[in-house]
Amino acid sequence: AGERAGGWFVRMRDAGAVRGKLEKFIAEGPEQTQVVTDFDLTMTKMFLSNGAHGASSHAMFESYSGFDEAYRTDMQALFHKYYPIEKDPLVPHAEKMGHMNTWWETAHSRMLQQGLTRGVVKDIVTNGKDSKLALRQGLRELFGSCYEARIPVTVLSAGIYDIIRELLAQEKLLSPCFDDSTHETSEEQLMGLVSNRMTFESCEDNARHIGFDKVLVHSLTKKPALTQYLSESHVRAARGNVISMGDLITDVSFLEAVPSLKSSITIGFLLDPTTYEKLQDAYEAAFDIVVLGDGPMDVCAEIVQAIARPHLPNGAIQ
């Protein structure tokens, strides 16, 4: 079935099954619900308003004019060498893991040589967020509804933690009590980021980049990294109803990382119009709900609001 939402199609192969899941989520309430979402091409759009392709968090970082040309050349060489391996289903898992580790570690090592500071990371986001990257419409409403209902959100990305964190901060999308000064989680930590985190000499803007966090997050380590994070987060570990969002069919597998999973509503974003005919059936088989094109997150926000509304004072979300 297809329903037009704001000019975009929302597809559901089995609307009755989705309705049944939603009724269960509503009955058990927001205290049993959590949201897990990919970042690139899920929270962000594929195309900018001028028709150009939007940048990933990694590409946004690498486009910084202060990097030397050799750095950009090296990053392109790494991509052309390892990306085909990443996407090749015939490469054995252990072999692919070794290649992915080498790719990310080499890229991080070259990044470290650029002598970045915290202030430069902020500048990269400030100067590029409007011209290189576009957040998906409805994201603000989704996060606002989650925070009001105290539903935790976890953003999972193989990109750069600090770029994503700074972007969300500048767009005022972090949860009100967000604090990443330590790696500890608390009941107040409604926004969680699982990604490749840079380390700096201090908290000052002129503090120099000195390394990366020990947790390496790439396509093959996303699930264990997410499992570890969810298990250590008291506000997430016991929540078994999961709303999961991603732009790749493999993103559905993130649900395997949820320690207490009971039920899920999965939402997939099928972005490229040239692939609709080829991939739509596969996406509808993998996801409960499919949003075609650069459609908004309205359906995601509406699901959260439906779960939260009966349990909030006056039964309404502002």
Side-chain angles (χ1 to χ4, degrees), residues 10-29:
V10 175
R11 304 283 302 182
M12 286 183 282
R13 174 164 289 187
D14 190 343
V18 175
R19 189 177 301 110
K21 288 184 177 184
L22 180 56
E23 288 173 354
K24 178 180 183 296
F25 276 46
I26 292 171
E28 297 189 359

Side-chain angles (χ1 to χ4, degrees), residues 49-217:
S49 58
N50 62 5
H53 276 264
S56 66
S57 56
H58 255 129
M60 188 176 178
F61 192 90
E62 291 165 11
S63 66
Y64 173 55
S65 60
F67 289 150
D68 58 57
E69 193 57 39
Y71 171 79
R72 275 186 282 275
T73 300
D74 288 349
M75 293 302 100
Q76 285 298 310
L78 287 171
F79 177 83
H80 290 301
K81 178 178 180 179
Y82 289 111
Y83 183 73
I85 297 173
E86 181 182 36
K87 296 303 179 184
D88 189 344
L90 299 181
V91 177
H93 184 271
E95 180 182 341
K96 185 178 291 190
M97 178 70 79
H99 286 303
M100 295 303 100
N101 287 343
T102 300
W103 183 4
W104 257 247
E105 288 167 356
T106 304
H108 288 175
S109 176
R110 286 291 286 116
M111 194 182 300
L112 186 59
Q113 295 169 14
Q114 298 303 302
L116 293 173
T117 64
R118 282 188 183 275
V120 167
V121 173
K122 292 181 180 179
D123 289 343
I124 290 172
V125 174
T126 300
N127 297 329
K129 65 178 181 179
D130 295 324
S131 61
K132 297 184 175 67
L133 184 147
L135 292 174
R136 196 176 293 277
Q137 180 184 337
L139 183 64
R140 190 173 305 279
E141 290 75 15
L142 170 62
F143 280 17
S145 296
C146 286
Y147 299 154
E148 184 170 358
R150 304 199 60 72
I151 294 174
V153 177
T154 304
V155 178
L156 178 65
S157 173
I160 305 297
Y161 176 106
D162 306 78
I163 291 289
I164 298 170
R165 188 245 188 255
E166 183 61 29
L167 176 66
L168 295 178
Q170 291 190 19
E171 293 296 318
K172 297 180 170 50
L173 288 171
L174 294 176
S175 57
C177 297
F178 183 82
D179 178 12
D180 60 0
S181 59
T182 74
H183 288 272
E184 297 178 2
T185 58
S186 72
E187 294 299 321
E188 300 299 318
Q189 197 81 315
L190 294 176
M191 163 61 73
L193 302 179
V194 181
S195 191
N196 294 288
R197 186 172 182 176
M198 302 167 72
T199 55
F200 295 87
E201 292 175 324
S202 72
C203 294
E204 303 299 322
D205 278 356
N206 62 357
R208 302 196 71 78
H209 176 209
I210 57 173
F212 280 86
D213 190 78
K214 62 182 179 180
V215 178
L216 192 67
V217 184

